[in-house]
Amino acid sequence: MSDNTKLVNHNDNEIHITSYVEHFGTWISLILLTFMTVFISVFGADLNTLTVATALFIASIKALVVAYYFMHLKYDPKIYRVMIIVVMALFLFFLLMLVVDYLTR
Amino acid sequence: MTDSSMSQPSYLNIKKGLFSWIFTLDHKRIGLLYLYSVGAFFLVGAALGVLMRLELLNPGGDLIEAQTYNQVFTLHGVIMIFLFIIPSIPAVFGNFFLPIMLGTDDVAFPRLNLMSWWLYVIGALFALSTLVFGDGPADTGWTFYAPYSVKTGTNVSMSVLAAFILGFSSILTGLNFIVTIHRLRAPGMGFNQMPLFSWALYATSWIQLLATPIIGITLLMIVAERMLGIGLFDPSIGGDPILYQHLFWIYSHPAVYIMALPAMGIVSEIIPTFAQRTIFGYKAIAYSSMAIAFVGYFVWGHHMFTSGMSGPAAYIFSILTFFVAIPTSIKVFNWLATMYKGSISIEVPLLYAVGFIFNFLIGGLTGLVNGALAADVHLHDTYFVVGHFHYVMFGGTGFAFFGALHYWFPKIWGKMYNKLVANVAFAIIFIGFNTLYFPMLILGIMGMPRRYYDYLPEFHSLNQISTYGSWILVSGLLLMIYNLIRGYFNGTKTTDNPWNGITLEWQTKSPPPLHNFDKAPELVKGGPYNYPNAIDGSH
Ligand code: HEM
Ligand SMILES: [Cu+2]
């Protein structure tokens, strides 16, 4: 089960039994990251614009943790990772162009 | 139609009654449900279009008032975009033919498929409810631009919720097709042995899945802004109206390819069948669909050149826009090369396909004119734009839709329409269409703005020509519809393969049995368009 380089075909109804350690690890890291977000927004006001950037950065890490461990991306074929990366890239391009527009107006 | 003793009954006869249709899980029946609903809304939208053209026959508000006119073009736009053109080819012909062309018996999620049609119906009811509830249909244009859409008293919230629900319908169709294509291809059919229509639907589905949620959220933001005054888009409370336009067009430009790509897929099916010849450049056509879908995400700003977006952003978007032209023209050259030296039989579907190429070329090239930053500063929000997008959406996708209807009519119902009448109807539609919309391109260059119920005297004669064109067009459309309905009731029975097509839908009976094939279909050796008797010296 831990061999995540192997391509897993969901047609074969293979079931991944994730260990408690992994589930709890995911949960605890999410809680810690949430505390970090709160902490920064309440006490880190002097970061100014960086506050938003940091909050977004932490949120992205949380999303990745959820996708990778909880949603079993680590067991899925590589193509799924490619798809997610493409989507994230599209989204980043959208943000990039928004920022270009705002900063050069 | 032979040896019916040992085969299943056709999907049309298996059960009767209204409920056997509106709760069906059969992809073919769901396709037809979509056909009837989409067709009905096309007629409503067309009636509103003709009403606008009547108003514009002469200058001055002689038929409807300014405010009514604003609501009419908004309703026309919303109906044509969300209720007709986006679902048209994928939801009707994609549903009906994708599983058959892949050699399987249904889409991956039949229940989701039915749910997507029901969402379509509910969304349509929401859109129509604005006619009776609140202060009438929205008057914002189909684009719902803020801050006006936040301030107007008309029923924007309801229209916007309609589009939101219709978006879900579209997402479910896309999801269904992606899984179907990945999972249910006939044994031995790799991605590169799929018909090009499936490739086109595949590219389209990714756009439906990835882009539609953005418009959903954006439209909800409009509702939130109207009800709670959050300050997202309304500058008077700290919002940014240009942000709305960014969010709107990051969906709505890719959505243009939800409209165009399936049409290109149809043309890629029709042309090899009627040229009896292998499609030229299979991979180029297939991959250019994917390329168009991808590049389509990077160009949305070309709708915003004059809206206050920054100069540097405008240059970048203008340059990027030109890249979309490359994969599109690859397709056009490949279609022409397919016909070159083929043994062409000029049947009605081919006429519509060639009509598509002609109209789409005008639509695409005028699109490049709009994409050129300097030109667009003059042409933005003029009738040039109205001419341009009708050439793409109606002259392109609309024609492909009619072509598909004539191409697959004998397969769907096992009968044939009157071909002579169909030819005449095509000719009238083609002439009417160009008479209606070509003058708009000239009017736009002369400076006539869009979305007005009135115009200056110097625009009179071209507007008259355009309105006459709408009458010609509508008579052609009515003749076409009459001919198809008559074919449905009294058409002569056809064979299973009247056009000598070789994609898998032509191997089964007309109309197909419930599970599509009585025996497993045989894949054509050497690719889906490898015509056995093609006279082929060129490659
Ligand atoms: C009988 C056929 C049709 C006629 C006579 C017609 C006529 C018109 C006219 C005159 C306008 C411009 C209104 C203005 O700017 O003042 C318009 C706008 C529009 N049409 Fe059509 N049209 C027809 C079919 C279609 C089709 C098939 C589609 C799409 C598939 C379509 C999509 C649109 C859209 C999106 C707008 C823009 C609405 C807006 O400004 O918000 N039309 N049409
Ligand atoms: Cu665009």
Side-chain angles (χ1 to χ4, degrees):
Chain A
M1 277 301 107
S2 59
D3 176 18
N4 47 5
T5 52
K6 193 178 104 214
L7 290 191
V8 177
N9 185 346
H10 279 248
N11 257 359
D12 307 340
N13 284 327
E14 197 163 334
I15 300 163
H16 327 286
I17 299 169
T18 330
S19 63
Y20 282 116
V21 179
E22 209 169 287
H23 269 145
F24 271 103
T26 311
W27 185 52
I28 289 175
S29 57
L30 287 179
I31 289 186
L32 285 181
L33 287 167
T34 308
F35 271 118
M36 256 172 89
T37 316
V38 175
F39 182 81
I40 288 170
S41 65
V42 177
F43 303 105
D46 47 340
L47 285 177
N48 293 329
T49 22
L50 275 184
T51 320
V52 178
T54 325
L56 280 177
F57 181 71
I58 297 176
S60 317
I61 296 184
K62 281 157 77 177
L64 280 180
V65 169
V66 170
Y68 198 70
Y69 294 103
F70 190 69
M71 295 171 79
H72 285 197
L73 196 59
K74 67 181 273 200
Y75 298 112
D76 283 325
K78 280 224 170 54
I79 182 79
Y80 291 80
R81 256 170 263 180
V82 174
M83 287 174 183
I84 291 203
I85 289 169
V86 169
V87 173
M88 291 308 290
L90 288 176
F91 180 61
L92 283 180
F93 178 79
F94 180 66
L95 288 186
L96 176 78
M97 284 311 293
L98 272 189
V99 172
V100 167
D101 176 17
Y102 278 94
L103 295 184
T104 53
R105 239 182 240 168
Chain B
M1 292 285 102
T2 49
D3 67 76
S4 55
S5 52
M6 51 165 288
S7 54
Q8 324 158 34
S10 96
Y11 76 102
L12 289 170
N13 296 331
I14 203 116
K15 262 191 199 158
K16 303 256 166 185
L18 182 65
F19 287 117
S20 78
W21 281 87
I22 62 174
F23 295 119
T24 180
L25 296 180
D26 178 8
H27 66 101
K28 297 182 285 304
R29 286 189 169 203
I30 294 176
L32 291 190
L33 287 177
Y34 266 115
L35 176 64
Y36 302 136
S37 10
V38 160
F41 280 108
F42 173 73
L43 291 180
V44 177
L48 293 170
V50 173
L51 179 64
M52 285 189 284
R53 280 314 329 163
L54 275 180
E55 164 57 37
L56 296 173
L57 179 60
N58 294 309
D62 32 26
L63 184 64
I64 47 182
E65 296 158 25
Q67 174 63 8
T68 319
Y69 186 87
N70 295 348
Q71 294 174 308
V72 170
F73 73 66
T74 304
L75 198 58
H76 169 80
V78 168
I79 288 181
M80 285 302 195
I81 298 282
F82 294 110
L83 291 170
F84 171 61
I85 203 91
I86 288 187
S88 65
I89 294 177
V92 177
F93 298 109
N95 258 325
F96 199 108
F97 286 103
L98 177 68
I100 307 185
M101 293 174 107
L102 296 179
T104 183
D105 59 354
D106 210 319
V107 290
F109 306 119
R111 284 187 174 77
L112 272 193
N113 204 12
L114 179 64
M115 183 166 140
S116 116
W117 180 74
W118 273 103
L119 285 177
Y120 173 90
V121 174
I122 295 169
L125 290 178
F126 267 67
L128 292 184
S129 75
T130 60
L131 287 168
V132 273
F133 297 122
D135 293 310
D139 60 349
T140 56
W142 79 278
T143 44
F144 302 116
Y145 269 14
Y148 184 65
S149 59
V150 177
K151 305 225 146 134
T152 171
T154 53
N155 205 341
V156 169
S157 302
M158 209 65 159
S159 316
V160 152
L161 283 177
F164 179 80
I165 297 170
L166 292 166
F168 269 92
S169 165
S170 180
I171 292 173
L172 293 185
T173 305
L175 178 70
N176 225 332
F177 288 177
I178 291 176
V179 181
T180 306
I181 289 170
H182 273 276
R183 287 288 176 207
L184 299 182
R185 277 168 286 125
M189 183 189 280
F191 262 75
N192 285 331
Q193 280 87 46
M194 288 199 308
L196 288 165
F197 184 48
S198 326
W199 267 109
L201 288 174
Y202 185 65
T204 310
S205 301
W206 275 111
I207 307 178
Q208 289 177 294
L209 194 64
L210 295 185
T212 319
I214 309 178
I215 190 87
I217 294 297
T218 308
L219 294 176
L220 286 190
M221 284 159 91
I222 288 273
V223 179
E225 186 84 334
R226 276 176 79 84
M227 298 193 167
L228 308 172
I230 298 177
L232 297 164
F233 305 133
D234 182 353
S236 63
I237 44 176
D240 178 9
I242 298 177
L243 175 65
Y244 174 80
Q245 299 190 16
H246 276 297
L247 287 166
F248 181 83
W249 287 111
I250 178 70
Y251 162 75
S252 294
H253 187 81
V256 170
Y257 299 109
I258 300 180
M259 312 171 197
L261 285 169
M264 296 169 165
I266 297 284
V267 173
S268 309
E269 293 301 323
I270 291 179
I271 285 183
T273 301
F274 293 95
Q276 288 290 303
R277 189 160 180 279
T278 313
I279 189 105
F280 188 90
Y282 173 91
K283 282 192 181 160
I285 297 184
Y287 300 165
S288 63
S289 290
M290 300 304 285
I292 291 175
F294 186 72
V295 182
Y297 279 101
F298 302 103
V299 302
W300 75 88
H302 61 210
H303 296 274
M304 302 165 57
F305 289 155
T306 62
S307 69
M309 187 175 63
S310 81
Y315 309 145
I316 297 175
F317 280 121
S318 183
I319 294 167
L320 287 173
T321 298
F322 281 80
F323 286 116
V324 198
I326 299 169
T328 311
S329 34
I330 288 179
K331 282 184 198 276
V332 172
F333 285 122
N334 279 307
W335 293 325
L336 297 181
T338 304
M339 286 191 282
Y340 179 68
K341 286 190 176 168
S343 57
I344 293 180
S345 46
I346 304 182
E347 299 274 3
V348 197
L350 185 74
L351 288 175
Y352 278 104
V354 175
F356 168 95
I357 298 180
F358 180 90
N359 294 333
F360 200 81
L361 219 61
I362 297 182
L365 292 175
T366 51
L368 285 182
V369 176
N370 284 324
L373 182 49
D376 188 66
V377 170
H378 295 276
L379 294 172
H380 183 79
D381 264 345
T382 68
Y383 258 82
F384 189 82
V385 176
V386 181
H388 151 72
F389 66 68
H390 281 96
Y391 264 98
V392 179
M393 296 196 288
F394 193 176
T397 307
F399 271 57
F401 183 81
F402 301 148
L405 200 53
H406 286 87
Y407 180 51
W408 281 317
F409 188 97
K411 179 55 63 185
I412 298 176
W413 287 291
K415 293 180 185 171
M416 188 59 93
Y417 45 83
N418 181 322
K419 287 188 186 174
L420 178 67
V421 179
N423 276 311
V424 175
F426 167 79
I428 301 177
I429 291 175
F430 186 79
I431 293 169
F433 176 85
N434 282 287
T435 319
L436 166 57
Y437 293 114
F438 203 84
M440 291 191 186
L441 297 173
I442 306 171
L443 281 168
I445 294 175
M446 290 166 69
M448 177 172 161
R450 71 188 272 209
R451 292 176 169 170
Y452 282 95
Y453 75 117
D454 192 6
Y455 50 81
L456 298 175
E458 63 256 38
F459 302 132
H460 192 188
S461 52
L462 282 167
N463 268 296
Q464 280 183 315
I465 297 177
S466 175
T467 300
Y468 300 149
S470 74
W471 299 340
I472 305 177
L473 173 67
V474 164
S475 44
L477 288 173
L478 292 177
L479 182 63
M480 177 191 82
I481 294 168
Y482 160 77
N483 186 41
L484 291 175
I485 293 179
R486 211 184 53 162
Y488 171 83
F489 285 111
N490 307 329
T492 47
K493 276 215 159 42
T494 62
T495 57
D496 292 344
N497 189 1
W499 313 123
N500 295 319
I502 57 172
T503 38
L504 298 188
E505 78 272 27
W506 301 111
Q507 286 188 21
T508 186
K509 287 183 306 189
S510 306
L514 179 64
H515 294 296
N516 295 345
F517 298 96
D518 284 335
K519 58 178 187 356
E522 272 174 46
L523 300 193
V524 178
K525 288 199 184 59
Y529 303 102
N530 194 10
Y531 279 86
N533 48 356
I535 330 151
D536 207 3
S538 55
H539 62 276

